[in-house]
């Protein structure tokens, strides 16, 4: 139930064409099951999301399958919305996923961390793209974070939602 794992390149992911649907955000019943379903994966690793600003599933903006995972909508100054996965692998491997940023600095940003170290960050909107993270042997945590710095002033109205999305997560052990 998914596409075969191949070494992805940074390329835009083709989105289906057709009539535009209005967004419908559905909160997952209880992580990790809702988020796991959203990511169309069978990894078997535990997912966690921010309890106060949880990620949701989206059926209107995805790269494949039925859903994608989307960070909390409406993040205010000084807040963050996290999604993380704990990967336990004796040999390490490659984590691949599709990623979308709908943020704009200075009021919203996002980054992807591995074990507390920032690997990638985005301060501008992007369309869906394929990404990959090399996972070392042992226990590793991959964190997807949407955040808003505390600038002490209200954010202007941009044409962005301040959210990020993740879809089609796959892990290939070395």
């Amino acid at each position: 139930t998914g596409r075969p794992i191949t070494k992805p390149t940074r390329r835009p992911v083709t989105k289906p064409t057709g009539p535009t649907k209005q967004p419908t955000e559905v909160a997952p019943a209880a992580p990790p099951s809702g988020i796991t379903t959203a990511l169309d994966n069978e990894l078997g690793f535990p997912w966690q999301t921010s309890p106060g600003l949880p990620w949701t599933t989206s059926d209107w903006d995805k790269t494949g399958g039925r859903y994608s995972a989307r960070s909390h909508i409406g993040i205010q100054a000084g807040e963050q919305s996290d999604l993380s996965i704990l990967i336990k692998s004796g040999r390490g491997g490659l984590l691949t996923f599709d990623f979308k940023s709908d943020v704009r600095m200075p009021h919203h940003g996002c980054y992807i961390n591995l074990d507390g170290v920032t690997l990638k960050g985005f301060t501008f909107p992007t369309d869906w793209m394929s990404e990959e993270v090399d996972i070392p042997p042992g226990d590793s945590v991959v964190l997807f974070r949407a955040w808003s710095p505390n600038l002490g002033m209200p954010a202007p109205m941009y044409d962005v939602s301040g959210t990020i999305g993740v879809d089609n997560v796959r892990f290939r052990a070395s």
Side-chain angles (χ1 to χ4, degrees):
T1 65
R3 59 183 191 220
I5 298 175
T6 58
K7 184 164 174 106
T9 57
R10 269 189 95 137
R11 59 172 172 72
V13 176
T14 305
K15 293 193 327 187
T17 59
T20 304
K21 292 172 62 177
Q22 288 297 322
T24 56
E25 296 296 330
V26 179
S33 63
I35 295 297
T36 300
T37 299
L39 298 173
D40 304 317
N41 76 69
E42 299 172 3
L43 295 177
F45 298 123
W47 289 92
Q48 297 288 327
T49 184
S50 306
L53 298 170
W55 282 51
T56 59
T57 58
S58 172
D59 65 355
W60 63 274
D61 190 13
K62 60 191 184 297
T63 61
R66 294 183 58 203
Y67 303 99
S68 66
R70 175 78 48 196
S71 63
H72 188 80
I73 295 174
I75 294 175
Q76 302 298 311
E79 295 180 333
Q80 60 198 31
S81 179
D82 296 345
L83 177 67
S84 62
I85 182 173
L86 171 63
I87 300 174
K88 296 182 177 207
S89 175
R91 299 183 324 211
L94 186 67
L95 183 73
T96 61
F97 52 91
D98 296 335
F99 182 82
K100 180 178 185 175
S101 165
D102 194 29
V103 299
R104 186 177 312 278
M105 283 304 276
H107 296 282
H108 296 101
C110 64
Y111 52 86
I112 302 166
N113 281 4
L114 173 64
D115 296 330
V117 176
T118 300
L119 302 177
K120 300 173 190 245
F122 297 89
T123 58
F124 53 89
T126 67
D127 203 353
W128 287 104
M129 65 182 91
S130 294
E131 294 288 343
E132 61 184 38
V133 173
D134 288 317
I135 304 296
D139 294 359
S140 294
V141 175
V142 177
L143 171 76
F144 302 93
R145 175 172 284 166
W147 63 282
S148 179
N150 193 355
L151 300 175
M153 62 181 156
M157 297 302 290
Y158 286 128
D159 59 343
V160 298
S161 65
T163 64
I164 57 177
V166 177
D167 202 359
N168 293 320
V169 178
R170 303 284 184 263
F171 179 74
R172 181 179 58 205
S174 296

